[in-house]
Coordinates of all heavy atoms in Angstrom, one line a residue:
M1 N -4.4 -23.5 21.1 CA -4.7 -22.2 20.5 C -3.4 -21.7 19.8 O -2.3 -21.7 20.4 CB -5.1 -21.2 21.6 CG -5.6 -19.9 21.1 SD -6.4 -19.0 22.5 CE -7.2 -17.8 21.6
A2 N -3.5 -21.3 18.6 CA -2.4 -20.9 17.8 C -2.1 -19.4 17.9 O -3.0 -18.6 18.1 CB -2.6 -21.3 16.3
V3 N -0.8 -19.1 17.7 CA -0.4 -17.7 17.7 C -1.0 -17.1 16.4 O -0.8 -17.6 15.3 CB 1.1 -17.6 17.7 CG1 1.6 -16.2 17.5 CG2 1.7 -18.2 18.9
K4 N -1.6 -16.0 16.6 CA -2.2 -15.3 15.4 C -1.5 -14.0 15.1 O -2.0 -12.9 15.5 CB -3.7 -15.0 15.7 CG -4.6 -16.2 15.8 CD -6.0 -15.9 16.2 CE -6.8 -17.1 16.5 NZ -8.1 -16.8 17.1
I5 N -0.4 -14.1 14.5 CA 0.4 -12.9 14.1 C 0.5 -12.9 12.6 O 0.9 -13.9 12.0 CB 1.8 -12.9 14.8 CG1 1.7 -12.9 16.3 CG2 2.6 -11.8 14.3 CD1 3.0 -13.1 17.0
D6 N 0.1 -11.8 12.0 CA 0.2 -11.7 10.6 C 1.6 -11.8 10.1 O 2.6 -11.4 10.7 CB -0.4 -10.3 10.1 CG -1.9 -10.2 10.4 OD1 -2.6 -11.2 10.4 OD2 -2.3 -9.0 10.5
D7 N 1.7 -12.4 8.9 CA 3.0 -12.7 8.3 C 3.8 -11.4 8.1 O 5.0 -11.3 8.3 CB 2.9 -13.4 6.9 CG 2.5 -14.8 7.1 OD1 2.7 -15.4 8.2 OD2 1.9 -15.4 6.1
W8 N 3.1 -10.3 7.7 CA 3.8 -9.0 7.4 C 4.4 -8.5 8.8 O 5.5 -7.9 8.8 CB 2.9 -8.0 6.8 CG 1.8 -7.6 7.6 CD1 0.5 -8.1 7.7 CD2 1.8 -6.5 8.6 NE1 -0.3 -7.5 8.6 CE2 0.5 -6.5 9.2 CE3 2.7 -5.6 9.1 CZ2 0.1 -5.6 10.2 CZ3 2.3 -4.7 10.1 CH2 1.1 -4.7 10.6
L9 N 3.7 -8.7 9.9 CA 4.2 -8.2 11.2 C 5.4 -9.1 11.6 O 6.4 -8.6 12.1 CB 3.1 -8.3 12.2 CG 3.4 -7.8 13.6 CD1 4.0 -6.4 13.6 CD2 2.2 -7.9 14.5
L10 N 5.3 -10.4 11.4 CA 6.4 -11.3 11.8 C 7.6 -11.0 11.1 O 8.8 -11.1 11.6 CB 6.0 -12.7 11.6 CG 6.8 -13.8 12.3 CD1 6.8 -13.5 13.8 CD2 6.2 -15.2 12.0
E11 N 7.5 -10.5 9.8 CA 8.7 -10.1 9.0 C 9.4 -8.9 9.6 O 10.6 -8.8 9.4 CB 8.3 -9.8 7.6 CG 7.9 -11.1 6.8 CD 7.5 -10.7 5.4 OE1 7.9 -9.6 4.9 OE2 6.9 -11.6 4.7
I12 N 8.7 -8.0 10.2 CA 9.4 -6.8 10.7 C 9.8 -6.9 12.2 O 10.5 -6.1 12.7 CB 8.6 -5.5 10.5 CG1 7.2 -5.6 11.2 CG2 8.4 -5.3 9.0 CD1 6.4 -4.3 11.1
L13 N 9.2 -7.9 12.9 CA 9.6 -8.0 14.3 C 11.0 -8.6 14.5 O 11.4 -9.4 13.6 CB 8.6 -9.0 15.0 CG 7.2 -8.5 15.3 CD1 6.4 -9.6 15.9 CD2 7.2 -7.2 16.1
A14 N 11.7 -8.1 15.5 CA 13.1 -8.6 15.7 C 13.3 -8.8 17.2 O 12.6 -8.2 18.0 CB 14.1 -7.6 15.1
C15 N 14.2 -9.6 17.5 CA 14.6 -9.9 18.9 C 15.1 -8.6 19.5 O 16.1 -8.0 18.9 CB 15.6 -11.0 19.0 SG 16.3 -11.2 20.7
P16 N 14.6 -8.1 20.6 CA 15.1 -6.9 21.2 C 16.5 -7.0 21.7 O 17.2 -6.0 21.8 CB 14.1 -6.6 22.4 CG 13.1 -7.5 22.3 CD 13.4 -8.6 21.3
A17 N 16.9 -8.2 22.0 CA 18.3 -8.4 22.6 C 19.4 -8.4 21.5 O 20.4 -7.7 21.7 CB 18.3 -9.7 23.4
C18 N 19.1 -9.1 20.4 CA 20.2 -9.2 19.4 C 19.8 -8.7 18.0 O 20.6 -8.8 17.1 CB 20.7 -10.6 19.3 SG 19.5 -11.8 18.6
K19 N 18.5 -8.3 17.8 CA 18.0 -7.8 16.5 C 17.9 -8.9 15.4 O 17.7 -8.6 14.3 CB 18.9 -6.7 16.0 CG 19.1 -5.6 17.0 CD 17.9 -4.9 17.5 CE 18.2 -3.8 18.4 NZ 17.6 -3.8 19.7
S20 N 17.9 -10.2 15.8 CA 17.7 -11.2 14.8 C 16.2 -11.4 14.6 O 15.4 -11.1 15.4 CB 18.3 -12.6 15.3 OG 19.7 -12.5 15.4
P21 N 15.8 -12.0 13.4 CA 14.4 -12.3 13.2 C 13.8 -13.3 14.2 O 14.6 -14.0 14.9 CB 14.4 -12.9 11.8 CG 15.7 -12.6 11.2 CD 16.7 -12.4 12.3
L22 N 12.5 -13.2 14.4 CA 11.8 -14.1 15.3 C 11.0 -15.1 14.4 O 10.5 -14.8 13.3 CB 10.9 -13.3 16.2 CG 11.5 -12.3 17.1 CD1 10.5 -11.5 17.8 CD2 12.4 -13.1 18.1
R23 N 10.7 -16.3 15.0 CA 9.8 -17.2 14.3 C 8.8 -17.6 15.3 O 9.0 -17.7 16.6 CB 10.6 -18.5 13.8 CG 11.2 -19.4 14.9 CD 11.8 -20.6 14.3 NE 12.5 -21.3 15.3 CZ 12.0 -22.1 16.2 NH1 10.8 -22.2 16.4 NH2 12.9 -22.7 17.1
A24 N 7.6 -17.9 14.8 CA 6.4 -18.2 15.7 C 6.4 -19.7 16.0 O 6.7 -20.5 15.1 CB 5.1 -17.8 15.0
D25 N 6.2 -20.0 17.2 CA 6.0 -21.3 17.7 C 4.5 -21.4 18.1 O 4.1 -21.1 19.2 CB 6.9 -21.7 18.9 CG 6.7 -23.1 19.3 OD1 5.8 -23.8 18.8 OD2 7.6 -23.6 20.1
S26 N 3.7 -21.8 17.1 CA 2.2 -21.8 17.3 C 1.7 -22.6 18.5 O 0.8 -22.2 19.2 CB 1.5 -22.2 16.0 OG 1.8 -21.3 15.0
E27 N 2.3 -23.8 18.6 CA 1.8 -24.7 19.7 C 2.1 -24.2 21.1 O 1.3 -24.3 22.0 CB 2.4 -26.1 19.5 CG 1.9 -26.8 18.3 CD 2.4 -28.2 18.1 OE1 3.0 -28.7 19.1 OE2 2.3 -28.8 17.0
A28 N 3.3 -23.5 21.2 CA 3.6 -23.0 22.5 C 3.2 -21.6 22.8 O 3.3 -21.1 23.9 CB 5.2 -23.1 22.7
E29 N 2.6 -21.0 21.7 CA 2.2 -19.6 21.8 C 3.4 -18.7 22.2 O 3.3 -17.9 23.2 CB 1.0 -19.4 22.7 CG -0.2 -20.0 22.2 CD -1.4 -19.7 23.0 OE1 -1.5 -18.5 23.5 OE2 -2.3 -20.5 23.1
E30 N 4.5 -18.8 21.5 CA 5.7 -18.1 21.8 C 6.4 -17.6 20.5 O 6.1 -18.2 19.4 CB 6.7 -18.9 22.6 CG 6.2 -19.4 23.9 CD 7.2 -20.3 24.6 OE1 7.8 -21.2 23.9 OE2 7.3 -20.2 25.8
L31 N 7.3 -16.6 20.6 CA 8.1 -16.2 19.5 C 9.6 -16.5 19.9 O 10.0 -16.2 21.0 CB 8.0 -14.7 19.2 CG 6.6 -14.3 18.7 CD1 6.6 -12.8 18.5 CD2 6.3 -15.0 17.3
T32 N 10.3 -17.2 19.0 CA 11.6 -17.6 19.3 C 12.6 -16.9 18.5 O 12.5 -16.8 17.3 CB 11.8 -19.1 19.1 OG1 10.8 -19.8 19.9 CG2 13.2 -19.6 19.5
C33 N 13.7 -16.4 19.1 CA 14.8 -15.7 18.4 C 15.5 -16.8 17.5 O 15.8 -17.9 18.0 CB 15.8 -15.1 19.3 SG 17.2 -14.3 18.5
T34 N 15.8 -16.4 16.2 CA 16.4 -17.4 15.3 C 17.9 -17.4 15.5 O 18.6 -18.3 14.9 CB 16.1 -17.0 13.9 OG1 16.5 -15.7 13.6 CG2 14.6 -17.2 13.6
S35 N 18.5 -16.6 16.3 CA 20.0 -16.6 16.5 C 20.4 -17.7 17.4 O 19.8 -17.8 18.5 CB 20.4 -15.2 17.1 OG 21.7 -15.3 17.6
S36 N 21.3 -18.5 17.0 CA 21.8 -19.6 17.9 C 22.5 -19.1 19.1 O 22.5 -19.8 20.1 CB 22.6 -20.6 17.1 OG 23.8 -19.9 16.6
A37 N 23.1 -17.9 19.0 CA 23.8 -17.4 20.1 C 22.9 -16.8 21.2 O 23.1 -16.8 22.4 CB 24.7 -16.3 19.7
C38 N 21.7 -16.3 20.8 CA 20.7 -15.7 21.7 C 19.6 -16.7 22.0 O 19.6 -17.2 23.1 CB 20.2 -14.4 21.0 SG 18.9 -13.6 22.0
G39 N 18.7 -16.9 21.1 CA 17.7 -17.9 21.3 C 16.6 -17.7 22.3 O 15.9 -18.6 22.7
L40 N 16.5 -16.4 22.7 CA 15.5 -16.1 23.7 C 14.1 -16.4 23.2 O 13.8 -16.3 22.0 CB 15.5 -14.6 24.1 CG 16.8 -14.2 25.0 CD1 16.7 -12.7 25.2 CD2 16.8 -14.9 26.3
V41 N 13.2 -16.8 24.1 CA 11.8 -17.1 23.7 C 10.9 -16.1 24.4 O 10.9 -16.0 25.6 CB 11.5 -18.6 24.2 CG1 10.1 -18.9 23.8 CG2 12.5 -19.6 23.6
Y42 N 10.1 -15.5 23.6 CA 9.2 -14.4 24.1 C 7.7 -14.9 24.1 O 7.3 -15.5 23.2 CB 9.3 -13.2 23.2 CG 10.7 -12.6 23.2 CD1 11.6 -13.0 22.2 CD2 11.0 -11.6 24.1 CE1 12.9 -12.4 22.3 CE2 12.3 -11.1 24.2 CZ 13.2 -11.5 23.2 OH 14.5 -11.0 23.2
P43 N 7.0 -14.6 25.2 CA 5.6 -15.1 25.2 C 4.7 -14.2 24.3 O 5.0 -13.1 24.0 CB 5.2 -14.8 26.7 CG 6.1 -13.7 27.2 CD 7.4 -13.9 26.4
V44 N 3.6 -14.8 23.9 CA 2.5 -14.1 23.2 C 1.3 -14.2 24.1 O 0.8 -15.4 24.4 CB 2.3 -14.8 21.8 CG1 1.1 -14.1 21.1 CG2 3.5 -14.7 21.0
R45 N 0.8 -13.1 24.5 CA -0.4 -13.1 25.4 C -1.6 -12.4 24.7 O -1.4 -11.3 24.3 CB -0.1 -12.4 26.7 CG 1.0 -13.1 27.5 CD 1.2 -12.5 28.9 NE 2.3 -13.1 29.5 CZ 3.4 -12.4 29.9 NH1 3.5 -11.1 29.7 NH2 4.4 -13.1 30.5
D46 N -2.7 -13.1 24.6 CA -3.9 -12.5 23.9 C -3.5 -12.0 22.5 O -3.9 -10.9 22.1 CB -4.5 -11.4 24.7 CG -5.0 -11.9 26.0 OD1 -5.5 -13.0 26.1 OD2 -4.9 -11.1 27.0
D47 N -2.7 -12.8 21.8 CA -2.2 -12.5 20.4 C -1.3 -11.3 20.3 O -1.2 -10.7 19.2 CB -3.4 -12.4 19.4 CG -4.2 -13.7 19.2 OD1 -3.5 -14.7 19.3 OD2 -5.4 -13.6 19.0
I48 N -0.8 -10.9 21.4 CA 0.1 -9.7 21.5 C 1.5 -10.2 21.9 O 1.7 -10.7 23.0 CB -0.4 -8.6 22.4 CG1 -1.7 -8.1 22.0 CG2 0.6 -7.5 22.5 CD1 -2.4 -7.2 23.0
P49 N 2.5 -10.0 21.1 CA 3.9 -10.4 21.4 C 4.4 -9.5 22.6 O 4.3 -8.3 22.5 CB 4.7 -10.2 20.2 CG 3.8 -10.0 19.1 CD 2.5 -9.5 19.7
V50 N 5.0 -10.2 23.6 CA 5.6 -9.4 24.7 C 7.1 -9.4 24.5 O 7.8 -10.4 24.9 CB 5.2 -10.0 26.1 CG1 5.8 -9.3 27.2 CG2 3.7 -10.1 26.2
L51 N 7.6 -8.4 23.8 CA 9.0 -8.4 23.4 C 9.8 -7.6 24.4 O 10.4 -6.6 24.1 CB 9.1 -7.8 22.0 CG 8.4 -8.6 20.9 CD1 8.6 -7.9 19.5 CD2 8.9 -10.0 20.9
L52 N 9.8 -8.1 25.6 CA 10.6 -7.5 26.7 C 11.6 -8.5 27.1 O 11.3 -9.7 27.4 CB 9.7 -7.1 27.9 CG 8.6 -6.1 27.6 CD1 7.7 -6.0 28.8 CD2 9.2 -4.8 27.3
V53 N 12.9 -8.2 27.1 CA 13.9 -9.1 27.5 C 13.7 -9.7 28.9 O 13.9 -10.8 29.2 CB 15.3 -8.4 27.4 CG1 16.4 -9.4 27.9 CG2 15.6 -8.0 25.9
D54 N 13.1 -8.8 29.8 CA 12.9 -9.3 31.2 C 11.8 -10.4 31.2 O 11.7 -11.1 32.1 CB 12.4 -8.1 32.0 CG 13.6 -7.1 32.3 OD1 14.7 -7.5 32.1 OD2 13.3 -6.0 32.8
E55 N 10.9 -10.4 30.2 CA 9.8 -11.4 30.1 C 10.2 -12.6 29.4 O 9.5 -13.6 29.4 CB 8.6 -10.8 29.4 CG 7.9 -9.6 30.2 CD 7.0 -10.1 31.3 OE1 6.4 -11.2 31.2 OE2 7.0 -9.4 32.4
A56 N 11.3 -12.6 28.7 CA 11.8 -13.7 27.8 C 12.4 -14.8 28.7 O 12.9 -14.5 29.8 CB 12.8 -13.2 26.8
R57 N 12.4 -16.0 28.2 CA 13.1 -17.1 28.9 C 14.2 -17.6 28.0 O 14.1 -17.5 26.8 CB 12.1 -18.1 29.3 CG 11.5 -18.9 28.2 CD 10.6 -20.1 28.7 NE 9.9 -20.7 27.6 CZ 10.5 -21.6 26.8 NH1 11.7 -22.0 26.9 NH2 9.8 -22.2 25.8
K58 N 15.2 -18.2 28.6 CA 16.2 -18.8 27.9 C 15.7 -20.2 27.4 O 15.0 -20.8 28.1 CB 17.5 -19.0 28.7 CG 18.0 -17.6 29.3 CD 19.4 -17.5 29.1 CE 20.0 -16.3 29.8 NZ 20.2 -15.2 28.9
P59 N 16.2 -20.6 26.2 CA 15.8 -22.0 25.7 C 16.2 -23.1 26.6 O 17.1 -23.0 27.3 CB 16.3 -22.0 24.3 CG 17.4 -21.0 24.3 CD 17.1 -20.0 25.3

């Protein structure tokens, strides 16, 4: 099941920890921070990104 996040929404979403852009990982149903220093991975549940640092995992 692929992540269903509109492109316009993905463009405005940012990592809550470092404010870097996020990229969708469709196969894993996650959003990954694009910052090499941060790199947190956020879950997507029922097509809703859970952008809570406490819910994120380190790569």
Side-chain angles (χ1 to χ4, degrees):
M1 191 168 193
V3 174
K4 296 177 188 170
I5 298 175
D6 292 333
D7 289 338
W8 65 267
L9 181 58
L10 197 53
E11 286 181 20
I12 61 173
L13 290 177
C15 174
C18 72
K19 310 300 184 235
S20 295
L22 298 171
R23 68 175 168 77
D25 183 347
S26 296
E27 291 184 16
E29 294 191 32
E30 297 174 324
L31 293 177
T32 305
C33 177
T34 58
S35 168
S36 59
C38 178
L40 290 175
V41 180
Y42 299 91
V44 177
R45 297 186 187 120
D46 298 322
D47 295 329
I48 300 170
V50 181
L51 299 179
L52 300 172
V53 175
D54 291 346
E55 293 281 328
R57 68 175 175 80
K58 302 226 186 260

